[in-house]
Amino acid sequence: MKTINVVAAAIAAASVLTLSACGSSDDGIAAAPETTEIITSGAAMAVNAPGNAATDDAEEAALDGDEINSAIGPKSFPAKVAINGRKKIGQDANAPGHKYDAYKAGQMVPIKCQAKHGSEVWDYTTDGWWVPDKYVKTGTDGFAPGVARCAGSGGGGGGGGSAAADPRAKEAIAFARARLGATDWNMQCELFVERSVGTSGKQYSAMTHYEWQKARGRIHTGSVPPPGSVVFFRSNTKWGHVMLSIGDNKAISTGPKVYQDNHFRNRSDYLGWAYMPADW
């Protein structure tokens, strides 16, 4: 007689099971248990536990324009001296939110792209910091050959009260727009915004995502949410609600259908916006 392991057979038959929900949108969606992604392969099962995002105390650097040239990978160069990391391009070494000695003398600085601030070249690192290029040995006083150019000049949310876009904004927004009207994302707002940047299972719910961002000083309330950022709401449940900003005070999120909201900042439960962590 053969013994059949029913549990193992069920696991082997499964491929990907995703459970996700969030609080209500303007459509009054009921809440359900929040995001946990379980990936199974044969008899082995791995759980991507919620709330396991890596610490990212440095706020996502603000870049003007849509994106950098993603075809050009990061390059590393040695630091000439110890360099403090800046949250935004052009900031002083000890500006609020800086990281003291983000790169020590001789340490390799991983440059994702370069941008001009006035007459100076600045480097945006894969760690999410801006550093003056004059302190990095790139072999030139100008833009280094083979290093991507950051779209626009960077600049940290200057004039007009509107911050600049996440460099991943274009692809994230394309993901969201391609799903407008879809009915298979109901009660999955947190999973939806995470998937827009190619990840999942980082946070348990929209509200835990908000609290995670708030604890790190990353929530903005007074400026226009830039394209590719996420906007948070308390909603009428403990799970909260989150949308993906597409710029111009417009955002996309999930309900009975994936929808676009052009007036989300008028909601009384609006909590503010944040950049997606750079390592998501």
Side-chain angles (χ1 to χ4, degrees):
M1 176 183 293
K2 292 184 178 180
T3 299
I4 300 175
N5 187 327
V6 177
V7 175
I11 292 175
S15 56
V16 175
L17 171 63
T18 302
L19 307 175
S20 175
C22 65
S24 69
S25 70
D26 288 337
D27 299 308
I29 306 166
E34 267 292 326
T35 306
T36 300
E37 182 172 85
I38 303 174
I39 302 175
T40 63
S41 177
M45 181 169 65
V47 178
N48 190 355
N52 63 349
T55 299
D56 183 6
D57 292 327
E59 180 179 14
E60 181 90 10
L63 301 178
D64 291 331
D66 292 328
E67 61 180 342
I68 63 171
N69 185 348
S70 59
I72 302 177
K75 289 183 176 292
S76 295
F77 302 90
K80 297 178 182 177
V81 296
I83 312 172
N84 288 4
R86 284 80 155 169
K87 291 172 66 176
K88 298 177 182 178
I89 192 172
Q91 287 185 325
D92 293 335
N94 296 314
H98 77 278
K99 182 176 181 180
Y100 181 75
D101 280 4
Y103 304 99
K104 298 185 182 300
Q107 182 179 346
M108 299 303 287
V109 181
I111 300 175
K112 187 173 184 178
C113 61
Q114 295 180 307
K116 272 285 187 74
H117 181 75
S119 61
E120 293 186 330
V121 174
W122 281 66
D123 303 331
Y124 176 51
T125 75
T126 59
D127 303 314
W129 296 111
W130 282 103
V131 297
D133 182 70
K134 63 185 178 182
Y135 299 135
V136 182
K137 293 182 181 179
T138 59
T140 177
D141 293 331
F143 290 112
V147 176
R149 294 277 293 273
C150 304
S153 61
S162 177
D166 185 304
R168 301 165 296 180
K170 187 174 182 179
E171 291 182 359
I173 292 169
F175 172 95
R177 283 178 168 156
R179 287 155 180 80
L180 284 170
T183 58
D184 55 347
W185 289 92
N186 195 7
M187 298 186 294
Q188 298 185 77
C189 61
E190 175 62 24
L191 179 61
F192 185 82
V193 298
E194 290 186 16
R195 285 282 176 84
S196 74
V197 293
T199 190
S200 64
K202 295 294 186 180
Q203 291 293 330
Y204 183 73
S205 70
M207 187 53 65
T208 60
H209 185 178
Y210 167 75
E211 294 294 345
W212 186 91
Q213 298 272 19
K214 182 180 179 182
R216 289 157 176 77
R218 295 168 55 92
I219 295 296
H220 305 259
T221 56
S223 55
V224 177
S229 63
V230 285
V231 291
F232 297 99
F233 308 86
R234 191 168 300 282
S235 82
N236 59 6
T237 77
K238 66 179 180 179
W239 307 116
H241 189 62
V242 64
M243 302 180 184
L244 179 75
S245 171
I246 60 173
D248 298 324
N249 283 315
K250 300 175 183 179
I252 294 176
S253 191
T254 64
K257 293 183 178 180
V258 177
Y259 65 96
Q260 180 173 315
D261 187 335
N262 298 337
H263 307 285
F264 66 87
R265 291 181 75 200
N266 295 330
R267 286 179 52 160
S268 61
D269 63 343
Y270 173 62
L271 295 171
W273 65 269
Y275 289 107
M276 289 280 207
D279 58 352
W280 284 19

